[in-house]
Amino acid sequence: MSDVQEATNQLLDVNLHENQRSIQVTESGLRSESEHLQVTIGATVPTGFEQTAADEVREKLGSPCKISKDRGKIYFDISVESLAQVHCLRSVDNLFVVVQEFKDYQFKETKEEVLKDFEDLAGKLPWSDPLKIWKINTCFKKKKTKHKKINQNSSKEKIESGRGDKTDERDVKKEFTNNVLDSQILDYYENAAIKEEISTLVGDDLTSCKDETEESSKEETDPEVLKFRVTCNRAGEKHCFSSNEAARDFGGAVQDYFKWKADMTNFDVEVLLNIHDNEIVVGIALTEESLHRRNITHFGPTTLRSTLAYGMLRLCAPQPTDIIVDPMCGTGAISIEGATEWSNCYHIAGDNNPLAVNRAANNISSLLTKSQVKEGKLSWGLPIDTIQWDICNLPLRTGSVDIIVTDMPFGKRMGSKKRNWNLYPACLREMSRVCRPGTGQAVLLTQDKKCFIKALSGMGHLWRKVHTVWVNIGGLHAAVYLLKRTPQTFVHPSEQDGERSPW
């Protein structure tokens, strides 16, 4: 093992071995108590891709899945052993365990009566099993990202100050040694962006280890008093109460029942009260931040969610050795998600904007760095490349691409509605040239539906619309179009005039 790898392992194992035995005992105790426990998990997914998420759950977990009437949510039953796999689902944003579901809840006529029923409801719910799942879930859930960097000058300042006893001197020496190890790892990477990213990652790991140690020491001295908050998500026009009123009264009853401490920001337990017309679902959140925050570190003006990118890729069912291209990649979210999940395909991310290409390259470097730090060894990389090009004149051979997946400019933050009338037909024409006739596919996201349909109508001999998924992108009503390439051979306008295309 090289010095760099040894240094990485030492950094990531700080303070872990001391608490490993107690953590294992706690986990085994909880799991033995809940060995045969079956629970219902709820998940929020990108609106419009509920069926795609349900298919992923059936495929990876083998569990039947129910799509909620409230768009953007699915429910499925699992055993405790499958809880870790749930956090690895690529199409879900947030997870929660269902405490109880009321499919046809009868609301009273007045606000006071309804809120009084919410107060009485808290003491009647079966909290025991969901809270067991919540405790076990703390081992799997992703912590909120904390961007803290290591201050390499802190040790020098402590040494120069000349204050402190022998214990402080030992701490300074230990910190100085860790900082030397940091510099060894950072010097291994020549790219400045990677240096910055790995310093952040290593700093986060050390900080999290320190926080866990401090929290464990506090738990030994102070009795555990959980902090909580109630979040109410309400949809429907026939309710005589507001979301804040429901959360306030229900939360007060939960506090009286459990004797927990209310905290709106630094909470341990988040109780969810989801109300959709006459349907009520009470749950406990299993994620601190959305699972779509996994790939992108360098954001652009229109960064696509990783969960939405996964849904778009899954629509076209990539096969091994497929060449998948995102000709307007932006931050590279689609290609990075594809390279992570479909590593047996080859992904190309391109854009005409050099800033976008740089962001995509930095995101790829960050993902590689993260995997190297996590595994403690060098990675062979990902099957992905970035390139700057013109979408209307791609440097690709005719019929060489199997799948095209891209987020087209809406004409809001990027481009304009007026320019789209010329851009969309040119894009579809060039995509039809590089896409393989007969088997090629394209999955295109756009909010400028009128312009897209008009452009597609002029390409009926080259593209056939197979399916449309209606999605909500930041409040905008957009559509994802699945197109199939017809068997007809592409004929370039220049070839019709007797000239030969360079590709």
Side-chain angles (χ1 to χ4, degrees), residues 163-343:
R163 292 179 295 178
D165 53 13
K166 294 182 180 180
T167 305
D168 295 334
E169 291 178 3
R170 286 196 298 268
D171 293 339
V172 169
K173 290 180 180 179
K174 184 176 181 180
E175 184 175 356
F176 183 77
T177 304
N178 287 336
N179 289 335
V180 171
L181 295 176
D182 295 344
S183 62
Q184 290 179 5
I185 295 179
L186 296 179
D187 290 341
Y188 185 78
Y189 297 94
E190 298 179 358
N191 191 318
I194 301 180
K195 280 189 177 183
E196 180 182 357
E197 180 64 22
I198 192 171
S199 65
T200 304
L201 290 169
V202 175
D204 290 344
D205 288 328
L206 291 175
T207 304
S208 62
C209 292
K210 183 179 179 182
D211 293 341
E212 289 175 2
T213 306
E214 292 176 354
E215 289 176 2
S216 61
S217 61
K218 287 181 181 178
E219 290 176 357
E220 292 176 358
T221 56
D222 301 333
E224 183 181 4
V225 178
L226 292 178
K227 294 178 288 186
F228 84 104
R229 82 171 185 186
V230 173
T231 303
C232 179
N233 302 304
R234 184 179 60 88
E237 300 178 355
K238 298 181 180 179
H239 301 141
C240 60
F241 56 92
S242 66
S243 301
N244 289 336
E245 291 171 338
R248 179 197 64 200
D249 288 45
F250 184 71
V254 171
Q255 185 178 26
D256 293 339
Y257 184 77
F258 287 106
K259 307 303 179 184
W260 291 342
K261 181 180 178 181
D263 194 323
M264 299 298 105
T265 53
N266 299 319
F267 51 87
D268 301 307
V269 183
E270 183 178 16
V271 180
L272 303 176
L273 182 63
N274 297 329
I275 304 173
H276 180 73
D277 292 333
N278 290 334
E279 182 181 272
I280 294 181
V281 177
V282 181
I284 298 176
L286 300 179
T287 49
E288 290 188 7
E289 70 174 3
S290 177
L291 297 179
H292 82 269
R293 300 180 182 274
R294 54 175 177 257
N295 296 333
I296 306 302
T297 55
H298 297 74
F299 294 86
T302 57
T303 302
L304 195 68
R305 284 191 171 207
S306 298
T307 47
L308 185 56
Y310 175 85
M312 293 173 63
L313 285 160
R314 192 178 174 91
L315 277 180
C316 51
Q319 300 299 314
T321 71
D322 277 354
I323 296 177
I324 305 175
V325 174
D326 181 0
M328 294 178 277
C329 68
T331 57
I334 294 175
S335 298
I336 291 174
E337 183 67 23
T340 305
E341 184 68 11
W342 289 276
S343 57

Side-chain angles (χ1 to χ4, degrees), residues 112-171:
E112 290 74 15
E113 291 177 324
V114 173
L115 296 179
K116 182 64 171 62
D117 287 345
F118 283 153
E119 293 179 7
D120 298 337
L121 182 64
K124 301 176 182 178
L125 296 174
W127 296 99
S128 177
D129 289 348
L131 284 174
K132 289 179 182 178
I133 296 298
W134 173 81
K135 289 181 181 179
I136 297 173
N137 182 73
T138 55
C139 307
F140 306 122
K141 70 178 180 180
K142 176 186 175 184
K143 301 292 183 181
K144 277 191 175 181
T145 306
K146 297 179 181 179
H147 295 287
K148 294 182 180 179
K149 296 183 180 180
I150 298 174
N151 186 5
Q152 298 186 4
N153 296 324
S154 60
S155 58
K156 295 181 181 179
E157 292 174 358
K158 289 184 179 179
I159 293 175
E160 291 173 357
S161 64
R163 292 179 295 178
D165 53 13
K166 294 182 180 180
T167 305
D168 295 334
E169 291 178 3
R170 286 196 298 268
D171 293 339

Side-chain angles (χ1 to χ4, degrees), residues 437-453:
T439 59
Q441 300 177 86
V443 178
L444 309 177
L445 167 65
T446 179
Q447 190 263 340
D448 196 352
K449 300 179 287 293
K450 181 179 179 180
C451 180
F452 182 84
I453 293 298

